[in-house]
Each structure stands twice: as C-alpha cells, then as structure tokens.
Amino acid sequence: MKPLENLLVVDLSQFLSGPSASLRLADLGARVIKVERPGTGDICRHLYVSDIDIDGESTIFHAINRNKEGYVADLKDPKDLAKIRKLIDRADVVLHNFRPGVIDRLQLDYATVKKTNPGIVYAEISGYGKQGPWREKAGQDLLAQSLSGMTWLSGNAEDGPVPVGVAIADIWAGALLVTGILACLVRLSIGLNGRDQGGLVEVNMLEAMLDYQFEPLTVYLQDGELPQRTKTNNAHTLLGAPYGVYATADGYLSLAMGSIPRLGELLECPPLGEYIDPHSWFDQRDAIKQILVDHLKTRPTAEWLSILEPADIWCAEVLDWNQMMGKPGFQVLDMTQQVVRGNGTRYATTRCPIRIDGQRLTASRGSCDLGEHNTVLDQEFSL
C-alpha cells in the first residue's frame, strides 16, 4: 500500500507547476482528479516543444499528467461550478495555479472552501505572490528564472545570462507545494493545531527560485558582492578550481573539488604543482582552469578516468542521454516505465524517483483524455 492511498486530490491547475505537484501526490498513492476546461483543456496539451506528440497532443502534457483521472468542467457555468464545489467538499487536497484574484471570483478560494470542508488542505502556486507590482505577471518558468538572478550563475564570465535548460522554476515550485501539503496532512492527522482543520499552502515561483539559490544568496547577503563566474569552464560561482567540465581528446570530463598539486601529480601536469596555497585555488582559478583546459584535451576521457578514479579524485565522464542509457549504472536504477492510456496507447516515461520501504513507486496508468472520467465520477460522487 502506498502512503497516500485513499487520499482524494482535486487538481484545478494547468501547465507544469501545479500538475507536477499533483503528479508526485499520485505517485505516492493519492487519487488525483484533474479538472480541465471544455474544448482546449489544459493549455499544456498543446504546448509543443518538439515534433513528437502522443495521440496528437504535446508529449509534455502526457509526461506530467499520467496516473490521473480526467474531468471536464466550465467553471464559468454555474452548473459545472456547483459540481466542482461538491467534489471539493469530498476532497482531502485541492490545488490550483490561477493568477491572483481568479479563484476568489469563482468563490473557490480557501476561506470559502473551508466553510464546507474544514479539513481541506488547500494549495496554490502563483508566479510572484499575491502582493506587489509583479503579482499580475505571467507565472512562466523562463520569466521566473530571469527575475530571480539565477541566469547569472551558469555559463562563463563573458557570457550573457544563461537559463537552466529545464523548467526548474515550475518543477521546484511544485516540489515545495508537495512539501507544504504533506506537512499540513501530518499536522491534521496528529491534531497539532487542536482542531479538525487542514491548512492553506502557498508557494510562488520567484520565491522557489530564490530558495534554490540559498547558497550563493546567503554569501551575497553577507558581503553584497555579486557572484563571479570563471572565465572558462564555470560550473559553480562559489567554488575554486578545478570545479568544471573540460574537453578531452574525445569527449568531456567533469572535475569536482580537489587538491590542485595532487591533481598535477596524477595528470603529469607540472604547472599545477605551483599552486600550493589552497586560497589560490579560488583566487587564481581562471589561470588554473586554463592550464587544465590545455592539458586535458591531450588524452581521451577514459584514460584520464583510469588515472583519477583509483586515486579517489571526484570526476566523471560527461554523458548525453544515449550514452547514459547504455550504462549499467543507469540501467540498474530501472528509472523508466511503460504506461497505458485509456485508449490503449502506450508510452515510455520516467517513474517516481522515491522508494518507500525499499519499493520503487510505479503506476501503469497513462495520461487522461479530456473529460475521460466525467460519467464515472458524476455517478460515484452524485454530481
């Protein structure tokens, strides 16, 4: 039995942040009912980022909305809205990522919902919070990364801002929302607030990005100095040489923290032996990295690994997905799974990375069609 079985979640969200949270709850055993608008449904169904689709819809939608039941409702229609209110009254968790004010106009806000369902854990994601001049900005991943300062941490010193190549603001905001939801469920289950009440969980994408940068931001808050990327091979603004990714004769090698003189001995690179003072590994990291750039490209990756790994130097070859999936280290994780949609379409995707009591958390149900379960849910919940 999964930890959240028998828990009912009503998901009013779309795009990535909210649906990523409900996906994780579903992976942990919760029953998730995804509510979408008629006609178009979740806009993410049509958010194409490649020429690959599944049943004529975006692969992103199918990746992030597996293992959920689909219900279609027009929240501007009083009859449909009444059905959703009735469904929420039966739920343990409800979540949404509407822009500030929208949920209040629908009278599905926390203050209203808890009057009829005091035990509800009510969770919401916004782009930048409910107050301030940015409250109406679109809560979109690249915009949140850009406003947060995060784009100045990747790339090299002379590069412009470099965004992270995945929807990190969406996914991390969703993960934080799950954390808050689970905390409220624990509080409710053990009666810490002394009442049979759930709670309101609020996360915004900008704060999620600031939280993700807690290390460099804490340093900045002490001295007011902006983080400085190295001239070449930057991988972390707070760390000295050799930290970075380097081209070899046939690929790439990543090097983490380590003694520069020791590295010089192992690599047969005498110039590195001059940097005896550990402070120089940060203060003169550009010069050290340039020495490594010139030296490491003289031999193939496997040869460097054969020298460095037995000496317990933290290093790794840099793989693309094709290379990674051919490695036993990836294969033993069994990180992908096949899921099946209601129409019989099968597709491969990732599984939940969490293990409970030694068991991998998998689920065979794929993504739902728009309104696929309306009839069944109407009957079950007398909607």
Side-chain angles (χ1 to χ4, degrees):
M1 182 174 179
K2 294 180 180 179
L4 299 186
E5 285 190 19
N6 301 319
L7 199 76
L8 178 61
V9 177
V10 175
D11 181 9
L12 303 175
S13 66
Q14 61 175 339
F15 293 111
L16 298 178
S17 59
S20 72
S22 63
L23 172 63
R24 188 61 69 233
L25 295 173
D27 282 335
L28 291 168
R31 180 184 185 185
V32 175
I33 298 174
K34 180 177 179 64
V35 179
E36 300 177 74
R37 71 183 70 180
T40 58
D42 185 337
I43 296 175
C44 198
R45 287 183 181 270
H46 314 288
L47 185 63
Y48 294 98
V49 295
S50 72
D51 57 357
I52 302 298
D53 64 53
I54 297 174
D55 290 340
E57 294 176 320
S58 169
T59 305
I60 290 179
F61 174 85
H62 297 287
I64 211 162
N65 286 291
R66 57 177 173 77
N67 203 22
K68 303 174 186 178
E69 297 172 63
Y71 193 87
V72 66
D74 182 355
L75 298 183
K76 296 180 180 179
D77 183 322
K79 292 183 179 179
D80 280 3
L81 184 58
K83 290 182 177 182
I84 297 305
R85 285 177 177 151
K86 193 172 183 180
L87 189 59
I88 289 174
D89 282 345
R90 298 279 296 276
D92 300 289
V93 177
V94 62
L95 59 92
H96 76 85
N97 58 357
F98 291 111
R99 287 194 182 189
V102 173
I103 204 73
D104 303 271
R105 292 193 292 272
L106 293 170
Q107 295 187 320
L108 291 176
D109 56 285
Y110 176 57
T112 302
V113 168
K114 74 174 183 177
K115 290 177 182 177
T116 53
N117 187 353
I120 192 74
V121 174
Y122 188 101
E124 55 187 31
I125 293 180
S126 65
Y128 312 96
K130 296 179 179 178
Q131 298 176 330
W134 291 351
R135 67 187 297 272
E136 296 297 334
K137 279 184 175 290
Q140 194 275 336
D141 189 90
L142 179 59
L143 307 187
Q145 286 194 46
S146 299
L147 289 167
S148 74
M150 190 169 192
T151 58
W152 293 103
L153 299 179
S154 298
N156 295 322
E158 295 182 2
D159 293 336
V162 179
V164 177
V166 293
I168 190 171
D170 282 309
I171 303 304
W172 187 239
L176 293 174
L177 198 73
V178 171
T179 301
I181 289 169
L182 296 178
C184 283
L185 289 170
V186 170
R187 183 179 68 179
L188 178 63
S189 69
I190 61 179
L192 280 180
N193 60 0
R195 295 174 292 176
D196 184 22
Q197 292 193 0
L200 171 63
V201 181
E202 298 171 280
V203 171
N204 70 67
M205 294 168 65
L206 180 58
E207 288 181 341
M209 284 295 84
L210 297 177
D211 174 69
Y212 212 89
Q213 301 172 87
F214 74 93
E215 289 179 290
L217 263 175
T218 299
V219 174
Y220 169 77
L221 291 171
Q222 310 314 304
D223 61 16
E225 296 290 331
L226 290 172
Q228 299 298 311
R229 299 176 291 182
T230 54
K231 185 176 180 180
T232 63
N233 303 78
N234 176 67
H236 197 302
T237 59
L238 297 182
L239 296 176
Y243 206 88
V245 174
Y246 298 86
T248 66
D250 64 349
Y252 293 89
L253 175 74
S254 63
L255 291 174
M257 295 81 72
S259 166
I260 296 301
R262 174 63 173 152
L263 201 58
E265 293 174 6
L266 292 167
L267 297 177
E268 298 179 355
C269 182
L272 293 180
E274 299 177 10
Y275 296 93
I276 299 172
D277 183 358
H279 289 96
S280 69
W281 307 345
F282 187 88
D283 297 339
Q284 300 180 58
R285 57 184 182 170
D286 282 342
I288 295 171
K289 286 188 173 185
Q290 189 58 55
I291 293 171
L292 285 167
V293 166
D294 296 336
H295 189 74
L296 289 173
K297 64 184 180 184
T298 62
R299 302 185 197 178
T301 302
E303 186 172 339
W304 292 129
L305 290 172
S306 69
I307 296 168
L308 297 175
E309 287 185 328
D312 200 27
I313 300 295
W314 291 354
C315 60
E317 58 184 323
V318 180
L319 307 175
D320 61 26
W321 290 337
N322 287 333
Q323 294 167 326
M324 177 193 71
M325 290 185 180
K327 300 290 186 180
F330 167 79
Q331 294 167 354
V332 72
L333 298 176
D334 197 19
M335 187 58 200
T336 62
Q337 61 180 352
Q338 288 280 334
V339 295
V340 185
R341 306 192 71 218
N343 62 5
T345 297
R346 293 177 175 271
Y347 64 94
T349 187
T350 57
R351 63 162 175 83
C352 178
I354 301 169
R355 288 175 171 81
I356 301 292
D357 297 327
Q359 298 298 310
R360 296 180 177 90
L361 300 180
T362 60
S364 61
R365 183 194 303 214
S367 52
C368 54
D369 273 334
L370 184 60
E372 180 178 339
H373 302 98
N374 269 53
T375 301
V376 172
L377 293 171
D378 281 343
Q379 293 174 352
E380 179 180 353
F381 293 97
S382 301
L383 304 178

